[in-house]
Amino acid sequence: MSVHGEYKLKEEEEENQQENSENVIEITYGYSQDKRPDLKQFMLALMVSSDGDVPLLMRTGSGNESDKNIFPLIIKAYQKNLNLETIYVADSALYTAKNLHSLGETKWLTRVPFSLKKAKEIAEKAKEAEFQPSEKNGYKYQEKPVNYQGIRQRWLVVESAARKDSNLERLSDKLTKEKEKIVKQLLNWQQRKKLNLNELKLEVKKFNETLKYHQLGELKYQENLNNQKEKVYSCQGKIEEKAEIIKAETERAGRFIIATNVLDSEQLSAEEMLHEYKARQSCERGFRFIKDPLFLADSVFVKNPKRIETMGFLMGVCLLVYSLGQRMLRGELQKRGGKVKNQLGKATDKPTLRWIFQILQGIHLVKINAQSHISNLTEEILDILEYFSIYCQNYYQVS
C-alpha cells in the first residue's frame, strides 16, 4: 500500500525508535507492486478461506518485508489462534527449503519456482504422452514423487493450453526483438568504427554475453582508414540461434509445477491439487477490493505507524463484511436456483456484491402529499432483497 509523505521527520526519530522497539511497522521503501518505487509503503498480508473468500487473517507489515520470510509467520500466527486440520495454499514465495522445514507437519500446497534447477528440468523433460487431461478445461497434468531437501512431496506438472499459446507468442516476440537488437548493433559497428581493435573485441564479447537466445558467430574484424588516415576497425558477424535454450523454453511453455507434502492422493488428489491452487486467486480478489477506488478503503490520511496498523485492521473488517455478504447472497442463489443479471446482462448465480450495490443505488424513497413511494423498485431488486431476507431469517433461527 503506497503512501505519500516523509513518514520519518527528524523531530520524531526518538519516538519512532521507541515505536519500533514495540514491533510497530516501519513505513519505508520496498518492492512496489503499485509500480511506485518513489513512494514509501506498508504491506498487508491476507489469508482467506477457499469457501467464499472470507478473510481469516489480516496482518500489516513494514514496507520492505519479503513474502518469503513472512508466509511461514502468517501460517503460524493463524495456527496459534485457530489450529484446524487444513491445507495452506500459497504462491511460490513459500517454496524455500527454510520455509518448508519450518512448517514441519503442517500441510501445504504451493507452486515450485523455475529458479529451482530441478523444477526446470522436470518441466522440460515431461513427456507429452504421459500427460492426462484434467476436468478443468484446457489443462492436463502428470504427477511425480520428489524428495527435495529431505522432504518427501508430490509434484504435479501442469500444462495450460491458453498459457502455452501465450508463452510461445511471448517467446516469439523476444526472439524477434533480440534479433533486431543484434542487427542494429552490427550496423552501429559498421558505421562507427573503433580506433582500438582490442577495445572493439571487448565490446563485442560483452554484447554477446547480454544475449539470451542468440549469439554472434563467424566474427570478422575489418581494418580501414578514416578521413584522417587513421586505422579504424569494424566488425561483422553471423546471427546464430541458441537452439538448446530456445528448445527448452518451447518445451516448458505453458507448464508450471505444483507441490504438496500431502502424500496420500486419497486425501488430496491431483485434480484437487490443481483446483485448490487455482482457487488461490481469492486472495487477489480481496486485495482488489481493498485497493478499489470505489470503496475508498485504501485511502490513508494518517502518518503515525500505529494508526496505519489500525487502518489495516479496519480494511480487513471491511473486507470481512463484504465477503460474508457476497457469500451469503451467492449461497442463497445457488440453493434456490436463482440468478441475477450481471454487468453484461447475462444471468449468473455468482454476482459480486459490488454489482448488487450498484443495482440498489437507484432506489429512492419519495414522499408526495404525505404519502411514501419507492422509485425504481424492480422485480429483480425485490428478488435480491428476498434472498437476503430468507438468509437472515434462517441465520437468526439457527443462532
Side-chain angles (χ1 to χ4, degrees):
M1 306 292 292
S2 299
V3 292
H4 293 264
E6 287 297 320
Y7 280 91
K8 196 169 184 182
L9 304 175
K10 288 183 180 180
E11 57 267 24
E12 295 175 341
E13 283 183 1
E14 291 183 8
E15 182 184 344
N16 286 338
Q17 286 173 3
Q18 185 179 357
E19 286 179 344
N20 287 333
S21 68
E22 298 171 2
N23 296 320
V24 176
I25 64 169
E26 184 182 359
I27 313 302
T28 186
Y29 298 104
Y31 174 73
S32 175
Q33 291 192 346
D34 289 336
K35 295 185 172 28
R36 288 300 305 267
D38 56 313
L39 297 178
K40 291 183 179 180
Q41 62 183 23
F42 65 96
M43 306 290 283
L44 287 177
L46 176 65
M47 182 184 290
V48 302
S49 72
S50 60
D51 174 19
D53 304 353
V54 179
L56 305 173
L57 183 147
M58 175 78 90
R59 176 188 179 278
T60 53
S62 298
N64 55 1
E65 277 187 348
S66 165
D67 288 351
K68 290 183 179 180
N69 299 327
I70 294 305
F71 278 1
L73 297 179
I74 296 169
I75 292 172
K76 288 177 181 178
Y78 177 75
Q79 289 176 328
K80 186 178 178 181
N81 289 280
L82 189 64
N83 193 5
L84 299 175
E85 184 68 22
T86 188
I87 298 173
Y88 296 90
V89 184
D91 212 338
S92 60
L94 180 67
Y95 201 91
T96 68
K98 181 181 176 182
N99 287 349
L100 300 187
H101 280 293
S102 72
L103 290 174
E105 297 299 315
T106 299
K107 294 176 182 177
W108 47 260
L109 174 71
T110 184
R111 184 168 62 82
V112 184
F114 278 142
S115 55
L116 198 68
K117 187 178 178 182
K118 189 170 187 176
K120 271 188 178 181
E121 289 176 353
I122 287 180
E124 289 164 9
K125 294 178 181 178
K127 296 178 181 177
E128 196 70 32
E130 294 177 3
F131 279 89
Q132 64 182 80
S134 166
E135 294 173 4
K136 193 172 181 64
N137 190 34
Y139 288 87
K140 53 186 177 180
Y141 54 74
Q142 57 176 278
E143 190 175 321
K144 294 184 180 293
V146 171
N147 189 314
Y148 173 68
Q149 295 290 326
I151 301 171
R152 292 174 61 212
Q153 49 198 276
R154 291 158 59 207
W155 280 16
L156 196 69
V157 184
V158 183
E159 183 174 298
S160 160
R163 188 169 177 171
K164 185 171 186 175
D165 291 342
S166 175
N167 287 166
L168 290 175
E169 187 178 341
R170 196 177 297 121
L171 176 60
S172 178
D173 288 342
K174 287 179 181 177
L175 291 172
T176 302
K177 286 178 181 178
E178 190 172 85
K179 198 168 184 179
E180 289 173 353
K181 173 184 171 182
I182 298 170
V183 170
K184 186 177 179 180
Q185 185 59 59
L186 285 171
L187 184 62
N188 182 275
W189 283 328
Q190 285 293 314
Q191 294 176 343
R192 300 182 179 182
K193 299 176 174 60
K194 295 282 184 181
L195 291 169
N196 188 306
L197 179 59
N198 290 329
E199 185 181 318
L200 177 59
K201 286 182 177 180
L202 181 62
E203 189 176 320
V204 172
K205 182 184 176 184
K206 286 183 177 180
F207 179 76
N208 241 342
E209 289 171 354
T210 65
L211 303 176
K212 184 175 181 180
Y213 303 104
H214 301 85
Q215 61 186 8
L216 283 171
E218 299 182 18
L219 293 170
K220 294 179 181 178
Y221 295 94
Q222 297 174 329
E223 180 182 305
N224 300 96
L225 294 175
N226 62 14
N227 294 335
Q228 288 76 37
K229 305 300 180 181
E230 298 172 314
K231 287 183 180 179
V232 289
Y233 302 91
S234 60
C235 174
Q236 287 184 333
K238 183 180 177 183
I239 302 173
E240 300 171 351
E241 289 187 343
K242 295 180 181 178
E244 288 187 10
I245 292 175
I246 295 172
K247 182 184 176 185
E249 285 213 20
T250 302
E251 290 176 343
R252 200 168 66 241
R255 294 178 180 177
F256 58 96
I257 298 177
I258 308 169
T260 182
N261 63 342
V262 181
L263 302 178
D264 188 353
S265 58
E266 291 188 2
Q267 287 186 32
L268 184 69
S269 67
E271 197 69 49
E272 288 170 330
M273 285 175 68
L274 177 59
H275 173 77
E276 292 298 337
Y277 180 73
K278 295 299 291 181
R280 84 192 191 290
Q281 291 297 325
S282 53
C283 269
E284 298 302 326
R285 286 192 287 271
F287 286 127
R288 280 201 296 272
F289 165 83
I290 289 170
K291 297 173 85 73
D292 193 323
L294 184 69
F295 287 101
L296 300 174
D298 71 333
S299 301
V300 180
F301 300 108
V302 293
K303 67 177 182 178
N304 187 304
K306 286 184 178 179
R307 291 183 178 178
I308 287 179
E309 286 193 77
T310 305
M311 283 290 298
F313 171 76
L314 293 175
M315 290 176 191
V317 172
C318 290
L319 178 59
L320 175 64
V321 174
Y322 176 86
S323 301
L324 287 173
Q326 181 171 274
R327 181 176 181 271
M328 174 186 78
L329 176 62
R330 289 180 175 183
E332 284 301 318
L333 285 170
Q334 291 165 14
K335 183 179 176 181
R336 301 179 181 278
K339 292 194 175 183
V340 175
K341 287 183 180 179
N342 64 12
Q343 295 92 320
L344 301 176
K346 295 182 179 179
T348 178
D349 58 1
K350 291 184 178 179
T352 63
L353 199 59
R354 170 180 172 171
W355 175 241
I356 299 301
F357 288 162
Q358 287 182 253
I359 291 175
L360 300 178
Q361 227 173 13
I363 301 173
H364 298 283
L365 177 64
V366 183
K367 287 190 176 182
I368 304 174
N369 298 327
Q371 290 187 342
S372 297
H373 303 272
I374 300 175
S375 66
N376 302 324
L377 193 61
T378 64
E379 288 295 326
E380 182 184 29
I381 292 173
L382 285 170
D383 287 342
I384 293 169
L385 294 174
E386 185 181 354
Y387 288 124
F388 276 112
S389 175
I390 292 169
Y391 179 87
C392 290
Q393 288 173 16
N394 293 339
Y395 174 80
Y396 285 117
Q397 286 171 7
V398 171
S399 298

